[in-house]
Amino acid sequence: MASSIARGGEDEGEDEEFEGFDDFTIASSWERFISEIEAVCRLWLFDGPKNLVDKGAECLDHPKNLYKVKSELKYGGKDYCLEFYFMINKDGQATEWVDNLHNIQQSFGVNEFLVIAPLSASGVVLDSPESSKLLSAVAIALSNCGSNWPAFVPVHDPSRKAYIGIQSTGTIFTRRFDADRIGSQVPVRLMHMEGLYELFVAKFASFDYPMNYFKVSFGMKLTYRTPPFDDDEEDVLENVEAEVKESEEVNDGYDRIKVQWDDDCPWAEWYSAEDPIKGFELITIWPRNTCESSMEMAELENASSFDAEKWSLYPLISPNMIDDSDGKFIGFASQLRLLVGALERSFDAKFLEDFVSAENIGSDNSNPAVVIPPPTVRDRVLKELFHDGAQISSSLDLESKNSRAIKGAPLESLFAQFCLQSLWFGNCNVRAIATLWIEFVREVRWCWEESQPLPRMPSDLDIDLSSCLIHQKLHLLAICIKKKNLLNHENHTSVEITGQSSDDKGLAEFDRNEILDLPQNESMVDEFDSDSPDSEGTTGNLTVDAECAVASPDAHKSCPIRKGSSGIVGNMMLLHSFQKMHAPYTQDAPVMTEDMHEERLHAAEVCGDAFSTSGQLERDILSSDMSAFKAANPDAVFEDFIRWHSPGDWESEEIEDRSTGNKEDPDQCNWPPRGKLSQRMSEHGNSWRKIWNDSPALPASEQKPLFDPIREGEKVLHYLETLQPHHLLEQMVCSAFKVSADTLNQTSFGNLQLMKTKLNQLYITLASSLRPLRANRTHDKYELIGDLRRLCLVFENIEKLLIFVSSLHRKLRDAPRLTEAIFNDYFNYYLPKMGNSSASICFDKKFSNKQQVSMLERDVVANLFPPPTANQSWRKVLSMGNLLNGHEPILREIIFSVAHRVGDCHYGSNIPWTHTEEIETHRMYIRGTSNDLQVALSVTSWD
């Protein structure tokens, strides 16, 4: 008998010469199996956690600090896998309610453990004798190693998540583990804390030790989930429809439209974003307490969630905010990516009409890259761009201070709105853009020919040379249209002036002043000597002296006739006449766009003469100023003009200006002023003196205008109609990035400095990346497109963050600290995605950070759980208690435990040190809902 056991059931029909011989050197297969487990465990014990990690231990995603090594074994013709789970940073026993613990760690309160399971599809042991044998083999191997690692075997059906386990704590105690699950039809008694308490106590209570004999320690964790926002909207919609049906009112369909969460967000005009935060989970943790009866547990079930020791909040984030697959996120970034693709194709043709032509689009008209929306869509877009009353507001208030570094169009300007419309016109392909641009320019020409104000464009401001050239041209055209209207009005009224009153003549003169950009009161200036006592007043920073200069003995007795004077220039006197110097009204310099400035400068550099053909504009402006000065100062000489227009070219011979003094006494007036022209102005053949001699004395109101609105307007239209495709797309790309960023910059997200910093960095990145598009020069096409596509990825990251923080801010507006903490957690989680290449992305697939809720923030968080309506489904199930604003927890976790001093119970021994030892004899972890209950029990016994 002993022989057969020792030889593991060897054949007993051996030769008779060996009969009766016990060969203990031959081990059974089970003993060899134990030996293999022991060898593996000794190796893991020898290496230790740090060396195991260095040797390639697998790190589990959740929890991050948990690692796993494994080894494959064979026994009885089956393959098994022995896994060792361990932690690098551990402090004693596993802490209760630590986030992201392994299921075994949470269920049984252990840190490191072994799991042995068959290598099969199910991964569990269905045979009870087999599971017991496996557990015994591991326990013996661990005992031989001197290790107290707990070991577990998965049993029963995989859906039950059942385990049996054992842990030897030395030569005194042994802890046994058992876990199982009820997946459906949970008994009502076990849905309530009173029944769970009785279940736990029943595991060790007996006739000798009744239930009320024990003081049970327990801790509780409840998880609540806010109702989905979409469900709330559907309930409201159902109520509205029911009311409409009952009242039998006519419903035109608008009541059935859902209100989106981002309807008041700045991007809502262009697209509707999915709410990135689907809801919140609130975790409430009760402190450890003791209970002596089931009645106390029943009372606790009715306790308020505000009595919990800790509240933690966890946002439920939409998968589309994590998944970077193409097409998962639709926003400005996705459309900008399409616009960059259109720019890439724009280099293939010289004229926009080439893209519209049917001969050049290929045979596949269904290709999204060449599709054009129907005319009705195009007309709707043009109507929105050119509708009546569409005027530009103060865009500077909407733009970031860093936005002006990007050479694009202001946010609400006509071209900026065209770019935004183009992003969503069809699929933003180059053919659709070409079609829309051609129709856009036709509308602009109609405004010009019909003298209609250009919508969304200012007509009375200086041209902003930091904007893109197309915007500058449209601004210039708006100014030309205004001046054209005034000129037409003047021509119309000039034929009717004969026989009209002086007031009507003054009105016609007023119109001309507007064309010349002159102040409205110039035509009303008295044509007689403005030094008369009746000519008091001020104009700008020039003071009109009320005193008339006293004529010298040689002066004319009558004052000369002045025209176009805006007032006296301080106390300056004319050189050859004892008259005060008057500053004239002058024509403003003609408005010019950036390319016009560059053209003039380039021509001047080539010719080398500032007053060549390219310098004719400067000559005309100077001549106009001289004529106006002569009209305002009839007795002036060239030196007087230089003293007023270019003081740096007049060298005074006195420290103090001798032209000042007592105006009433010529002897004390120190007149005439003494000085001379500079060398530049006194040279023979000086061009300024020649222009002075040739300039007639005419006020600005009677001069030929320096700016021809008709000619300049036609030049603008010619530029727009002959614009090359890549020049149009380059400016569209710059403007589209700029106005998209400016639109997102209006998002309300509170005072989150981190988000403000990222927005400022985005503008700096945009300005740097788009700088190659600022000048019309040959680009490395492939390098440029690659840079722009990486820029789209950066833009998408910031756009997602903005949408996330906007949703978070509106949900937790009254808890700014909590809002900032959650956003910082999400930002750190999202940070690895902030690169400029999708290939470099390495991040966790699940956002699991939780934030502690302070006592002052609990009311704000509780408001996330509105009282449910009567028809909502969660009111139709049996409640587990502990309601929060009428919402029951989606998950309840309870840990019951009983501890005894070894010397005070039947666990006592005659070993002296054990009399002061307290051990946890029974522990039960319960995790359940109204239709799912998991129970894990560990019992410590004396062996």
Side-chain angles (χ1 to χ4, degrees):
M1 182 68 176
S3 175
S4 62
I5 296 176
R7 297 184 337 210
E10 298 263 345
D11 187 9
E12 296 181 0
E14 296 181 348
D15 295 338
E16 294 182 358
E17 60 178 306
F18 296 107
E19 185 177 357
F21 178 75
D22 294 330
D23 188 358
F24 291 99
T25 63
I26 301 176
S28 66
S29 60
W30 187 60
E31 290 173 326
R32 288 193 298 270
F33 183 55
I34 294 174
S35 178
E36 291 177 8
I37 296 175
E38 181 180 343
V40 173
C41 291
R42 286 184 182 276
L43 181 61
W44 289 342
L45 281 169
F46 178 78
D47 286 336
K50 292 185 179 179
N51 288 334
L52 289 177
V53 172
D54 295 339
K55 290 182 178 181
E58 179 185 354
C59 180
L60 304 182
D61 290 337
H62 299 285
K64 298 179 182 178
N65 192 35
L66 187 65
Y67 293 82
K68 179 180 71 172
V69 291
K70 61 183 179 180
S71 178
E72 295 184 6
L73 306 169
K74 287 188 176 182
Y75 170 63
K78 291 185 178 180
D79 294 330
Y80 295 92
C81 180
L82 180 65
E83 297 176 330
F84 173 48
Y85 294 81
F86 62 94
M87 303 177 72
I88 296 296
N89 300 318
K90 59 179 183 296
D91 185 13
Q93 290 293 91
T95 306
E96 290 181 359
W97 316 131
V98 175
D99 293 337
N100 299 322
L101 287 180
H102 190 278
N103 183 40
I104 292 180
Q105 290 178 312
Q106 185 68 74
S107 298
F108 302 108
V110 297
N111 274 326
E112 49 191 16
F113 55 93
L114 291 171
V115 175
I116 186 167
L119 287 173
S120 60
S122 64
V124 299
V125 181
L126 300 178
D127 183 63
S128 296
E130 180 185 359
S131 60
S132 299
K133 199 168 187 177
L134 286 175
L135 196 59
S136 298
V138 176
I140 295 173
L142 291 175
S143 178
N144 294 339
C145 296
S147 171
N148 61 351
W149 290 340
F152 298 91
V153 176
V155 295
H156 306 310
D157 186 83
S159 63
R160 291 171 60 175
K161 299 180 181 178
Y163 289 91
I164 60 172
I166 191 170
Q167 179 185 20
S168 175
T169 60
T171 60
I172 303 175
F173 304 110
T174 299
R175 180 174 295 161
R176 290 177 171 82
F177 307 99
D178 192 5
D180 208 342
R181 170 176 176 262
I182 303 176
S184 61
Q185 297 180 352
V186 177
V188 176
R189 183 175 65 92
L190 298 183
M191 290 174 53
H192 299 280
M193 297 178 64
E194 179 181 2
L196 296 174
Y197 171 83
E198 294 174 353
L199 173 66
F200 172 66
V201 176
K203 294 297 180 181
F204 55 85
S206 63
F207 179 80
D208 296 329
Y209 299 96
M211 289 186 180
N212 56 7
Y213 178 82
F214 300 97
K215 289 185 178 181
V216 177
S217 175
F218 71 92
M220 183 169 63
K221 174 183 177 182
L222 300 180
T223 302
Y224 300 87
R225 180 174 295 171
T226 59
F229 301 108
D230 292 341
D231 290 349
D232 288 344
E233 294 169 356
E234 290 174 1
D235 291 333
V236 173
L237 183 61
E238 289 175 0
N239 293 337
V240 172
E241 292 176 348
E243 293 176 1
V244 171
K245 184 176 181 180
E246 291 177 1
S247 60
E248 296 182 355
E249 294 179 356
V250 177
N251 189 348
D252 58 2
Y254 290 102
D255 290 337
R256 304 179 63 87
I257 299 178
K258 271 192 178 183
V259 177
Q260 300 296 329
W261 75 274
D262 61 346
D263 278 350
D264 57 345
C265 291
W267 62 79
E269 181 181 356
W270 306 104
Y271 67 92
S272 179
E274 178 189 11
D275 194 341
I277 301 178
K278 295 302 184 181
F280 290 90
E281 282 191 1
L282 173 65
I283 296 94
T284 60
I285 298 177
W286 268 255
R288 268 284 180 175
N289 207 338
T290 59
C291 179
E292 297 182 0
S293 68
S294 58
M295 295 301 296
E296 293 183 26
M297 298 301 297
E299 293 177 1
L300 182 62
E301 187 170 313
N302 297 322
S304 171
S305 299
F306 285 85
D307 296 336
E309 181 182 27
K310 294 181 180 179
W311 279 25
S312 299
L313 196 64
Y314 163 65
L316 304 174
I317 301 176
S318 169
N320 291 339
M321 295 296 294
I322 301 174
D323 191 352
D324 282 331
S325 302
D326 292 339
K328 293 293 184 180
F329 177 79
I330 302 298
F332 285 127
S334 62
Q335 305 310 113
L336 289 171
R337 192 175 289 110
L338 296 176
L339 184 61
V340 171
L343 171 62
E344 183 178 16
R345 288 201 59 194
S346 68
F347 293 93
D348 299 338
K350 293 183 178 181
F351 305 101
L352 287 166
E353 289 77 7
D354 294 341
F355 291 108
V356 181
S357 176
E359 290 79 8
N360 297 317
I361 65 174
S363 58
D364 187 6
N365 294 341
S366 62
N367 187 350
V370 298
V371 68
I372 299 179
T376 54
V377 177
R378 181 197 62 202
D379 294 342
R380 177 187 57 80
V381 171
L382 294 174
K383 184 178 180 181
E384 292 181 4
L385 288 172
F386 290 91
H387 76 273
D388 296 337
Q391 297 297 327
I392 189 171
S393 62
S394 179
S395 297
L396 294 178
D397 298 337
L398 305 176
E399 295 180 350
S400 166
K401 63 180 180 180
N402 297 319
S403 175
R404 297 184 63 79
I406 305 172
K407 199 171 183 63
L411 177 57
E412 294 188 355
S413 64
L414 183 58
F415 183 62
Q417 293 299 306
F418 170 83
C419 293
L420 287 176
Q421 292 284 0
S422 298
L423 292 178
W424 308 96
F425 185 69
N427 60 344
C428 196
N429 64 80
V430 67
R431 186 167 179 244
I433 292 174
T435 302
L436 186 61
W437 174 256
I438 292 172
E439 296 299 324
F440 173 82
V441 174
R442 287 176 182 172
E443 291 291 330
V444 171
R445 175 168 283 281
W446 181 88
C447 292
W448 166 253
E449 293 176 348
E450 299 297 327
S451 299
Q452 296 297 316
L454 203 59
R456 305 180 188 273
M457 294 301 300
S459 59
D460 55 354
L461 301 175
D462 294 334
I463 293 180
D464 182 9
L465 299 183
S466 66
S467 61
C468 65
L469 187 57
I470 293 179
H471 174 73
Q472 296 180 40
K473 293 293 186 181
L474 292 174
H475 191 174
L476 177 60
L477 184 63
I479 295 174
C480 292
I481 291 175
K482 180 179 179 180
K483 293 184 179 296
K484 176 185 175 183
N485 285 336
L486 294 173
L487 187 61
N488 292 338
H489 180 70
E490 179 190 13
N491 294 336
H492 178 71
T493 56
S494 62
V495 298
E496 302 175 357
I497 288 183
T498 305
Q500 293 180 351
S501 64
S502 59
D503 292 339
D504 294 333
K505 294 180 181 180
L507 178 61
E509 186 68 18
F510 169 73
D511 292 336
R512 180 173 177 81
N513 293 335
E514 283 199 84
I515 299 175
L516 300 175
D517 291 325
L518 299 177
Q520 296 180 2
N521 62 344
E522 181 196 355
S523 61
M524 307 304 175
V525 176
D526 196 286
E527 294 188 354
F528 295 98
D529 188 356
S530 61
D531 293 341
S532 63
D534 298 331
S535 62
E536 294 184 4
T538 59
T539 304
N541 60 351
L542 302 175
T543 303
V544 180
D545 200 333
E547 301 178 4
C548 181
V550 178
S552 64
D554 298 331
H556 297 290
K557 294 183 180 180
S558 61
C559 295
I561 297 176
R562 302 180 186 275
K563 291 185 178 182
S565 171
S566 65
I568 298 172
V569 184
N571 293 321
M572 295 182 67
M573 307 289 289
L574 299 178
L575 290 174
H576 293 176
S577 173
F578 196 74
Q579 298 286 335
K580 298 177 185 178
M581 182 182 295
H582 285 247
Y585 286 110
T586 59
Q587 294 192 57
D588 290 338
V591 290
M592 290 185 294
T593 57
E594 182 180 17
D595 61 329
M596 297 167 66
H597 283 286
E598 292 178 353
E599 182 181 354
R600 288 174 46 249
L601 292 175
H602 179 70
E605 291 175 358
V606 173
C607 298
D609 183 3
F611 291 100
S612 63
T613 302
S614 64
Q616 185 62 42
L617 179 61
E618 286 81 356
R619 178 191 295 269
D620 293 342
I621 294 174
L622 187 60
S623 176
S624 173
D625 292 347
M626 290 178 174
S627 296
F629 187 82
K630 283 183 177 181
N633 302 278
D635 296 329
V637 294
F638 176 68
E639 287 78 3
D640 290 321
F641 176 77
I642 295 299
R643 291 168 60 211
W644 168 72
H645 191 276
S646 182
D649 287 316
W650 176 258
E651 299 175 358
S652 178
E653 296 179 357
E654 299 178 357
I655 298 177
E656 296 182 358
D657 191 353
R658 297 178 69 252
S659 64
T660 62
N662 190 340
K663 306 181 188 64
E664 303 296 339
D665 187 356
D667 296 333
Q668 297 183 11
C669 193
N670 297 327
W671 181 84
R674 295 183 180 180
K676 63 179 181 178
L677 294 173
S678 64
Q679 181 179 358
R680 181 173 75 95
M681 289 296 174
S682 58
E683 291 178 349
H684 178 71
N686 180 267
S687 56
W688 281 48
R689 186 178 292 276
K690 184 176 183 306
I691 296 174
W692 170 267
N693 295 333
D694 296 341
S695 300
L698 287 175
S701 59
E702 298 179 9
Q703 297 176 14
K704 178 182 177 181
L706 295 174
F707 182 77
D708 186 350
I710 305 299
R711 182 185 62 185
E712 297 301 332
E714 290 293 342
K715 289 172 65 176
V716 169
L717 288 170
H718 176 75
Y719 168 82
L720 298 177
E721 291 170 343
T722 59
L723 193 61
Q724 293 186 5
H726 71 277
H727 288 163
L728 170 63
L729 267 298
E730 286 172 353
Q731 297 184 61
M732 284 184 65
V733 167
C734 287
S735 294
F737 270 104
K738 178 180 182 296
V739 297
S740 297
D742 287 338
T743 301
L744 293 176
N745 191 47
Q746 301 174 48
T747 304
S748 175
F749 52 81
N751 191 28
L752 292 179
Q753 293 300 323
L754 180 59
M755 192 69 250
K756 293 180 180 179
T757 300
K758 298 308 296 183
L759 273 174
N760 291 335
Q761 292 176 355
L762 174 64
Y763 278 111
I764 296 173
T765 303
L766 290 177
S768 175
S769 302
L770 297 174
R771 188 170 291 116
L773 298 177
R774 297 187 61 168
N776 293 331
R777 60 176 182 268
T778 304
H779 308 291
D780 184 339
K781 174 181 174 181
Y782 299 102
E783 180 180 357
L784 173 65
I785 299 302
D787 291 341
L788 292 176
R789 285 176 174 159
R790 285 187 289 272
L791 185 63
C792 291
L793 181 61
V794 174
F795 194 97
E796 179 177 332
N797 293 331
I798 300 300
E799 187 173 10
K800 283 185 176 180
L801 285 176
L802 265 173
I803 294 174
F804 175 84
V805 75
S806 174
S807 176
L808 183 64
H809 173 66
R810 65 180 56 227
K811 292 175 175 63
L812 297 173
R813 188 185 303 272
D814 296 328
R817 186 210 65 83
L818 187 59
T819 301
E820 184 172 8
I822 293 177
F823 175 71
N824 289 343
D825 284 344
Y826 179 75
F827 177 81
N828 292 330
Y829 158 80
Y830 196 80
L831 188 61
K833 297 164 62 67
M834 300 295 286
N836 56 9
S837 174
S838 58
S840 65
I841 295 176
C842 179
F843 59 97
D844 294 330
K845 295 182 179 180
K846 183 179 180 182
F847 176 76
S848 57
N849 294 66
K850 300 176 179 63
Q851 272 298 326
Q852 296 294 323
V853 180
S854 67
M855 295 297 295
L856 297 178
E857 296 167 337
R858 290 193 177 187
D859 287 335
V860 178
V861 173
N863 290 333
L864 296 173
F865 298 84
T869 59
N871 64 332
Q872 289 175 325
S873 60
W874 52 83
R875 292 295 300 271
K876 300 176 183 178
V877 299
L878 295 176
S879 173
M880 295 190 298
N882 295 111
L883 301 181
L884 175 60
N885 289 347
H887 297 265
E888 68 172 353
I890 63 168
L891 180 63
R892 179 169 59 195
E893 298 173 78
I894 302 176
I895 295 178
F896 292 110
S897 64
V898 173
H900 290 285
R901 291 189 180 275
V902 177
D904 297 338
C905 64
H906 59 280
Y907 294 101
S909 70
N910 57 3
I911 301 176
W913 66 269
T914 60
H915 288 281
T916 59
E917 182 75 10
E918 185 175 70
I919 63 172
E920 188 180 68
T921 58
H922 290 76
R923 181 185 189 274
M924 179 181 284
Y925 169 76
I926 299 171
R927 174 188 177 95
T929 63
S930 58
N931 58 2
D932 190 357
L933 184 67
Q934 295 178 2
V935 179
L937 177 65
S938 61
V939 178
T940 303
S941 62
W942 176 269
D943 290 338

